[in-house]
Amino acid sequence: MAVRLTISSSRVKLHFSKLKVPVPYSCAHRSSLLHPKPRANSSQTNTGQACSPKVDIMFMKTHKTASSTFLNILFRFGEKHRLKFAFPDSRNDFDYPSLFQRSFVKDYKPGMCFNIICNHMRFNASEVEKVLPTDTSYITILRDPAELFESSFHYFGRLVPFTWKIPGDDKMTEFLLNPHSYFDPEGFNSFYLKNLLFFDFGQDNTLKLDDPRVDEGINLISERFQLVMLVEYFEESLILLKEELCWEMEDLLFFKLNARKGSTVSKLTPKLRARALEWNAIDWKLYQHFNRTFWKKVNAYGRERMAEDVAELKKRNKEMTSVCIEGGHAVEAGSIQETDLQPWQPIGEKSIMGYNLKKNIDSAHQKLCRKMLMPEIQYLTELGVNLWITKLWGHVRNIINW
């Protein structure tokens, strides 16, 4: 805060002005990006119009939304173009569930330049803006709230103390039949089990649906984020991302990471699904809003063109599967041979599947295959993040067999 003193005959005036935090326009190493590529014709572009890949990206990593799969795409893109990531310090998130502060960024100093921020956080727009260039593209991803609730209950349920008093083996069903008798809005980690998407965006997840702050929050998200992807249409989302950021098809290649073993997934009956959506009504409103905007973008892109591009992406991913993955499919945790390819597991479970790297991969694909199969924790470590708090927690869990 700068202070300027003015003295007049009648009084002393103090003038306060906020010191601006300088944010560079972009800090990308653009040597490989200087040659624009022509864009295909669409309703928004003219044939032959050139564009350059956008490299300044804020990815709002929401929970249980295939975001680890997308993170792997971002990590590989960032390495390819030698971009600078804003990473957390000592753990794999930005002090979640606290609202994001720029001081959470490893080695942050005012005016430092980053291209990409993508780890879990509770979104706080004014602070995020201070660590990214002004031309940053804001991207996020949503998932059907009923399916998200089921996944969150499975993954985080044991970390939410109020669930411990729910009787029976099928705790989720029992909870949904009468959630108000169990839910404690002030309880430790309770946010995981009610409107988790809205909470991740820095909003109050316990509001009544007709509270005006709900629509205000949705509007703020809509104004901030250029693209909101949907888990249920992941390939289509990536094609829209390619259009938005002027990326190449090869930048979108992926394997599904952190997939759950099918036997651990609770199939929601129509009745339970309706109750889950009622319980997560704000998230459902949020999802419906962005589902509409998503299909408007698809229509603008062209349905036939979208189908062709999705088919091409699936074809390339299938080719990479045959090149990289032993057996061509995911395996249970106990069957993963390399420690470096073991995904993080939920409390008390070994339900997250992973992959075995194919033996004798040709040298042209060996590095890419390993990176595409690498779980988030291991990839962050390889990128130089010291995750000692996360790893300590993992060791404690192993010792107490939790």
Side-chain angles (χ1 to χ4, degrees):
M1 183 75 74
V3 182
R4 180 164 54 89
L5 182 65
T6 302
I7 301 177
S8 68
S9 58
S10 58
R11 58 189 178 276
V12 176
K13 296 181 181 179
L14 289 173
H15 303 275
F16 293 91
S17 62
K18 292 183 178 179
L19 286 175
K20 291 184 177 180
V21 177
V23 180
Y25 184 74
S26 180
C27 56
H29 292 275
R30 293 187 180 271
S31 58
S32 63
L33 307 176
L34 292 176
H35 304 290
K37 67 183 182 71
R39 303 188 72 155
N41 189 29
S42 75
S43 60
Q44 298 173 320
T45 59
N46 298 318
T47 303
Q49 181 179 350
C51 67
S52 297
K54 295 181 181 179
V55 295
D56 300 315
I57 299 158
M58 190 282 152
F59 176 58
M60 177 58 206
K61 189 179 190 294
T62 49
H63 284 87
K64 314 313 298 172
T65 57
S67 55
S68 292
T69 299
F70 187 70
L71 213 63
N72 186 276
I73 293 173
L74 273 181
F75 286 163
R76 284 183 281 121
F77 181 84
E79 284 195 293
K80 173 183 174 181
H81 294 292
R82 298 182 294 128
L83 305 179
K84 186 171 179 60
F85 288 89
F87 282 133
D89 195 9
S90 306
R91 48 192 283 180
N92 62 314
D93 62 58
F94 290 105
D95 205 22
Y96 187 88
S98 301
L99 284 168
F100 176 81
Q101 303 292 323
R102 61 188 182 275
S103 59
F104 296 162
V105 174
K106 185 178 184 296
D107 299 327
Y108 172 78
K109 294 183 178 66
M112 285 186 69
C113 187
F114 299 95
N115 298 111
I116 298 176
I117 189 166
C118 55
N119 290 81
H120 274 309
M121 68 167 68
R122 189 156 182 235
F123 189 61
N124 184 2
S126 62
E127 286 290 297
V128 170
E129 289 173 355
K130 293 180 176 67
V131 298
L132 294 169
T134 55
D135 64 342
T136 294
S137 298
Y138 283 69
I139 311 293
T140 190
I141 186 166
L142 305 181
R143 182 182 183 184
D144 178 288
E147 301 298 327
L148 184 146
F149 177 81
E150 186 280 329
S151 180
S152 187
F153 201 100
H154 167 82
Y155 199 91
F156 300 115
R158 297 189 189 193
L159 292 173
V160 184
F162 73 70
T163 66
W164 301 348
K165 63 184 179 182
I166 301 175
D169 294 329
D170 190 353
K171 290 179 179 290
M172 186 189 71
T173 296
E174 178 64 30
F175 175 81
L176 286 175
L177 291 176
N178 192 9
H180 293 286
S181 65
Y182 300 109
F183 185 74
D184 176 8
E186 302 299 324
F188 182 70
N189 281 345
S190 65
F191 55 85
Y192 281 124
L193 300 182
K194 186 171 179 62
N195 296 312
L196 179 55
L197 290 172
F198 204 59
F199 182 85
D200 280 353
F201 283 105
Q203 306 297 318
D204 185 347
N205 63 322
T206 63
L207 297 173
K208 299 288 187 182
L209 187 60
D210 58 359
D211 191 304
R213 287 173 290 178
V214 172
D215 285 339
E216 289 171 9
I218 293 174
N219 289 336
L220 285 172
I221 297 166
S222 187
E223 290 168 2
R224 171 62 59 182
F225 288 84
Q226 286 82 41
L227 177 63
V228 178
M229 303 186 293
L230 302 179
V231 171
E232 293 77 17
Y233 302 97
F234 194 67
E235 284 90 353
E236 289 86 349
S237 295
L238 291 179
I239 299 302
L240 291 180
L241 178 92
K242 174 177 172 288
E243 178 79 353
E244 177 71 33
L245 302 185
C246 194
W247 284 13
E248 302 284 354
M249 186 71 80
E250 67 181 35
D251 297 322
L252 309 179
L253 300 179
F254 72 93
F255 299 134
K256 188 176 181 180
L257 302 180
N258 280 11
R260 271 169 68 191
K261 187 166 55 175
S263 60
T264 68
V265 179
S266 301
K267 301 301 182 184
L268 293 171
T269 65
K271 180 180 178 181
L272 284 179
R273 173 177 168 77
R275 288 184 176 273
L277 291 179
E278 181 182 6
W279 177 244
N280 296 279
I282 297 177
D283 275 3
W284 182 224
K285 187 171 188 177
L286 176 75
Y287 182 88
Q288 288 177 301
H289 173 86
F290 286 107
N291 184 59
R292 289 190 294 270
T293 63
F294 180 86
W295 290 107
K296 286 179 182 177
K297 287 179 180 290
V298 171
N299 288 332
Y301 188 82
R303 293 279 185 140
E304 184 177 348
R305 180 182 170 213
M306 175 62 75
E308 291 172 354
D309 285 352
V310 166
E312 175 66 17
L313 178 57
K314 288 182 175 180
K315 176 175 173 284
R316 294 201 188 189
N317 280 334
K318 188 175 181 180
E319 291 170 352
M320 290 304 298
T321 296
S322 66
V323 170
C324 300
I325 300 175
E326 187 69 38
H329 55 79
V331 296
E332 295 185 19
S335 299
I336 301 172
Q337 297 164 6
E338 289 190 56
T339 303
D340 282 349
L341 298 181
Q342 285 275 0
W344 187 268
Q345 299 290 340
I347 294 291
E349 297 273 357
K350 292 290 184 181
S351 58
I352 305 300
M353 303 178 74
Y355 300 93
N356 285 315
L357 190 65
K358 204 168 186 177
K359 297 175 177 63
N360 301 318
I361 300 173
D362 64 90
S363 56
H365 290 96
Q366 201 167 55
K367 184 177 180 181
L368 175 60
C369 286
R370 178 169 291 279
K371 290 292 177 71
M372 289 182 70
L373 295 174
M374 190 173 290
E376 177 183 336
I377 300 298
Q378 290 91 319
Y379 210 143
L380 283 168
T381 300
E382 186 160 302
L383 291 172
V385 185
N386 182 2
L387 300 174
W388 71 268
I389 292 178
T390 300
K391 291 179 178 179
L392 177 62
W393 170 231
H395 290 317
V396 170
R397 284 175 52 189
N398 290 335
I399 292 171
I400 63 178
N401 195 27
W402 195 21

